[in-house]
Amino acid sequence: MKAPARRGRRHNLVGRLFVLLAAASALVACENAPICGDFPLTPQVRACMLDEIEERVDRYYPFEADKEDVDLEEFRERLRSLGDEESDSEFLAGLQRTVVTLRDGHTRLTVQAPLPQGSPLVATINLPDGIYITASTEENVLPGDQLIEIDGRGVDQVFGELLAVTHASTMEGRRRIAARRILVGPRNRTVTVIVARGITQHRVVLRRFSPISVIGPPLQRRFGDIGYISLSTFALLDDVETFDRHLNELLDTTGLILDLRGNGGGHLHNADLILGRLMGIEPERFAMLDETGQTRFRFGPSPRGSRYKAPIVVLCDHQTYSAANYFVQRAGLHGVATIMGERTGGGAAPTRAVTLAPGVHFNYAFRVIVDPEGEHTEEGVAPDISINLSPADLVAGRAARRGRVEGDEFVARAVQFLEGR
Amino acid sequence: MNSSSTFISMVLALVMALAVLAMTPRTGWAQETTPEWQELIPMVSVRAAATLTRYRARACGCFDRTLWYTEVGLGARWHRFLELEGEHRRGGINVSSSGHVMTSAWAVGLRSALTPPTQRWWGGFFGRAGVVRLTVPATRQRNFMGLYFGAGLGLPLFGERVFLEQEVPLGVGFAELSHITIGLRVGLRVVINP
């Protein structure tokens, strides 16, 4: 007699395994589903979104005591006044403007644009007296030109509207991000600008065909005996390997520039791995505090591999944020590097995200990083040596070629500083 | 519950279920001669294991991370010195106190006994080698090819069905996440049709 019981038992096991796998897959899928509902946003969905945001801010927002311009009661009142807007886009814009008042880049509402976004091949920056062009590959737009009008509207009006929905932890960070995005719009569409050059003004039509989010791997250069590595993000683990290879090639240099301008952060462990190549001894650990003020864990870099021993300059600006802000703080605190540039953008709180509706994500800060003194750098880190650009610098092309000695005032000053040492 | 803890729970549940299955006495099955075609059917085994390794990044030349994973796998053996196996791994890369990155992988390879047939304890020595595709979400490249090797000892727990395996695994990764790992792997292997 054959053994059907044995064969049947094997089939039974396979069937049970399949059910387990299917259940596990369903569990994973549910974690990423919108928690409030779909478009169009019914009153119930809107109420759910408002409740979810208020609940998370009430429970986790860590900076009520630190930010004098942030009033949580006012925030709640503004939140409760929302929900009756005619269109979903008006409701979401109102929600974004309300969340922005928390002045925390890690607590933000992002709404996916209906069309892919693009930008002209023109870089912009805010200076005290306006929005200026820093670099351009467009024939009729030159570095140093001042933006006067965008699509028939004054640049101050456009900037103000964009600023109202721009999240960042510092006011300067908000202005810088808004200025850099001022020409962004639907890709492959045109934008008509009026720019001023000296006493003359002229109209230019630009096409937005460049994708706006291109974050490249670490870049390495040499300026004589001075090495240069730019780090545009700490989000990706293989960038650490790329950095290691670049640093190995620059170990013989007499100085190193680490360019963290525009680095929006990423993972602390990537920042610590890179710091580990610059430090000879393990420094005191920072703490991660939860919403009750308890320490969840302590962390910090450990020396690894061949240490870079020559003087180091770290370049930073108002968009050096989150894990990059932490890197700058560590580098300055432990005497690893001289910090040059602008005050960083802060961002001392790790963030979690929840999807409220398709394409609508609410990020919220849920912990705080503090140094051994119990202090956080949510408002940014001041540089040891400030570098501020003027319109005359832009006209002279001192911000036109990022990462080059000729064409980048920050790099030129860093090379000068290191050569002087 | 996140997907990795779900996977680990599945692995443990599978191991326990298979161990119970393997321990069930085979009574009531009539003895008979095996038809020739059935000799082509491989001996099938399933296994679950946990591995902990130290990770040496090639660019740094330093052991600065820990790579760990749990696995479930299948094996098909036609001969003592020829077994084809495949496995799925879920785990992570831990960077000391600073954080971790979750990983998953698929691996396919060969296994062989390292000694002639014997009833002595050293008859359980085995070697493994194969190809692995490691997926690390928080990277540019996302998928990284590599090789795995291992030498270990399988000790019978219940006759010819359930084995406790201990192994020293060696892993080699290529491309942008180029690395070497070495550590310890412990698991259970259950032969479905000995």
Side-chain angles (χ1 to χ4, degrees):
Chain A
M1 185 177 169
K2 293 197 188 293
R6 179 180 167 202
R7 194 174 298 125
R9 193 183 302 155
R10 194 185 310 164
H11 285 169
N12 215 6
L13 177 68
V14 170
R16 286 175 187 161
L17 185 58
F18 179 76
V19 168
L20 274 172
L21 282 171
S25 302
L27 199 66
V28 172
C30 284
E31 288 175 343
N32 298 323
I35 60 173
C36 284
D38 207 337
F39 285 88
L41 305 177
T42 63
Q44 292 76 21
V45 172
R46 292 185 183 192
C48 169
M49 291 169 72
L50 295 172
D51 286 343
E52 291 291 338
I53 290 173
E54 185 174 357
E55 183 191 325
R56 283 174 172 75
V57 170
D58 276 349
R59 181 174 173 189
Y60 292 110
Y61 182 75
F63 303 115
E64 184 179 10
D66 300 309
K67 299 193 180 186
E68 290 176 358
D69 56 328
V70 174
D71 184 338
L72 279 190
E73 197 45 55
E74 188 182 314
F75 167 78
R76 291 186 197 100
E77 280 177 22
R78 283 183 68 151
L79 212 58
R80 287 181 209 125
S81 72
L82 296 171
D84 297 328
E85 294 73 15
E86 269 197 37
S87 70
D88 289 343
S89 57
E90 280 175 15
F91 167 71
L92 291 172
L95 202 47
Q96 277 186 308
R97 284 193 291 270
T98 303
V99 174
V100 162
T101 63
L102 295 174
R103 195 163 63 75
D104 175 12
H106 284 128
T107 301
R108 63 182 184 270
L109 186 80
T110 52
V111 180
Q112 197 172 343
L115 298 169
Q117 300 291 284
S119 172
L121 287 177
V122 164
T124 48
I125 195 171
N126 61 305
L127 294 182
D129 57 344
I131 311 291
Y132 288 82
I133 306 296
T134 57
S136 170
T137 59
E138 299 280 348
E139 275 184 15
N140 298 317
V141 178
L142 300 177
D145 285 353
Q146 182 178 4
L147 277 175
I148 303 298
E149 226 178 73
I150 300 171
D151 281 341
R153 299 164 67 216
V155 71
D156 289 342
Q157 181 188 359
V158 177
F159 183 68
E161 289 172 3
L162 192 51
L163 192 65
V165 293
T166 298
H167 300 82
S169 293
T170 63
M171 276 312 299
E172 268 311 307
R174 283 181 64 196
R175 290 192 195 102
R176 180 61 52 86
I177 292 169
R180 290 223 159 120
R181 293 182 62 89
I182 203 160
L183 295 177
V184 169
R187 200 184 304 167
N188 293 323
R189 304 263 180 92
T190 59
V191 56
T192 303
V193 299
I194 292 179
V195 295
R197 188 178 305 152
I199 59 171
T200 61
Q201 294 186 0
H202 55 278
R203 176 178 275 105
V204 184
V205 177
L206 304 170
R207 183 170 290 275
R208 297 179 175 118
F209 57 83
S210 170
I212 56 171
S213 301
V214 179
I215 300 176
L219 197 65
Q220 181 225 85
R221 294 198 171 106
R222 250 185 210 253
F223 307 122
D225 286 332
I226 306 294
Y228 168 92
I229 301 176
S230 76
L231 290 159
S232 55
T233 180
F234 283 123
L236 304 164
L237 186 60
D238 43 358
D239 278 0
V240 174
E241 317 299 318
T242 306
F243 171 84
D244 279 340
R245 283 196 292 275
H246 288 335
L247 191 65
N248 291 343
E249 292 173 21
L250 296 176
L251 285 174
D252 62 335
T253 53
T254 58
L256 178 68
I257 301 168
L258 293 180
D259 193 346
L260 266 62
R261 290 175 293 166
N263 185 325
H267 295 289
L268 291 172
H269 59 254
N270 292 333
D272 275 345
L273 283 170
I274 289 175
L275 278 167
R277 292 294 305 271
L278 313 178
M279 306 182 82
I281 56 171
E282 194 165 306
E284 214 171 335
R285 294 190 166 192
F286 283 24
M288 186 76 73
L289 307 182
D290 65 16
E291 67 272 19
T292 65
Q294 298 298 308
T295 299
R296 297 291 294 211
F297 60 91
R298 296 185 187 276
F299 63 98
S302 298
R304 54 189 282 273
S306 303
R307 181 184 154 217
Y308 186 85
K309 295 178 182 170
I312 301 171
V313 162
V314 172
L315 296 177
C316 55
D317 66 5
H318 295 305
Q319 284 186 268
T320 302
Y321 188 69
S322 191
N325 176 77
Y326 162 77
F327 184 100
V328 172
Q329 182 189 7
R330 277 274 193 197
L333 188 66
H334 305 304
V336 170
T338 302
I339 313 301
M340 293 178 69
E342 299 172 329
R343 190 178 187 91
T344 63
T351 185
R352 269 185 187 153
V354 62
T355 301
L356 300 175
V360 181
H361 310 284
F362 180 60
N363 282 74
Y364 56 100
F366 70 109
R367 287 184 182 158
V368 182
I369 297 167
V370 296
D371 64 15
E373 307 299 319
E375 303 293 326
H376 63 70
T377 54
E378 172 66 11
E379 302 282 358
V381 177
D384 298 316
I385 299 172
S386 284
I387 302 174
N388 296 301
L389 296 174
S390 67
D393 288 325
L394 301 182
V395 170
R398 295 196 188 104
R401 298 182 70 212
R402 184 130 169 174
R404 304 281 183 185
V405 174
E406 292 181 10
D408 189 335
E409 179 67 9
F410 283 63
V411 171
R413 295 271 295 271
V415 169
Q416 196 176 36
F417 175 82
L418 288 168
E419 283 176 343
R421 294 188 65 168
Chain B
M1 184 191 291
N2 61 34
S3 56
S4 287
S5 54
T6 304
F7 181 79
I8 292 168
S9 304
M10 279 171 50
V11 167
L12 292 174
L14 175 63
V15 166
M16 289 191 321
L18 291 175
V20 168
L21 165 70
M23 283 187 285
T24 304
R26 295 164 57 192
T27 55
W29 294 346
Q31 297 294 316
E32 59 179 64
T33 56
T34 308
E36 278 187 20
W37 65 268
Q38 284 193 2
E39 296 201 359
L40 297 175
I41 298 174
M43 190 173 76
V44 175
S45 62
V46 294
R47 66 178 183 282
T51 302
L52 183 64
T53 66
R54 286 297 285 164
Y55 178 115
R56 184 177 187 274
R58 282 237 190 108
C60 165
C62 55
F63 285 96
D64 60 358
R65 277 158 259 192
T66 300
L67 172 71
W68 63 271
Y69 54 88
T70 55
E71 69 182 70
V72 285
L74 274 177
R77 186 174 105 167
W78 285 270
H79 188 274
R80 180 177 176 79
F81 299 118
L82 176 63
E83 179 171 344
L84 179 67
E85 57 179 24
E87 63 200 45
H88 179 59
R89 306 173 179 178
R90 296 291 283 268
I93 297 173
N94 287 12
V95 180
S96 61
S97 60
S98 303
H100 64 275
V101 177
M102 302 312 294
T103 64
S104 63
W106 290 96
V108 169
L110 296 173
R111 170 195 288 249
S112 172
L114 294 180
T115 66
T118 174
Q119 293 299 313
R120 308 300 287 271
W121 65 271
W122 58 76
F125 277 115
F126 63 90
R128 303 193 311 142
V131 176
V132 59
R133 190 180 94 148
L134 176 68
T135 298
V136 187
T139 56
R140 286 181 196 277
Q141 194 173 323
R142 195 171 166 83
N143 295 309
F144 305 88
M145 295 306 298
L147 302 173
Y148 73 89
F149 307 90
L153 177 64
L155 297 172
L157 290 183
F158 298 103
E160 296 292 315
R161 282 217 178 219
V162 182
F163 297 84
L164 174 68
E165 296 194 334
Q166 299 147 96
E167 175 187 318
V168 175
L170 175 71
V172 180
F174 302 115
E176 293 302 317
L177 217 56
S178 182
H179 64 270
I180 292 172
T181 57
I182 187 163
L184 181 65
R185 173 179 173 273
V186 175
L188 273 182
R189 182 161 168 259
V190 178
V191 179
I192 302 291
N193 55 339

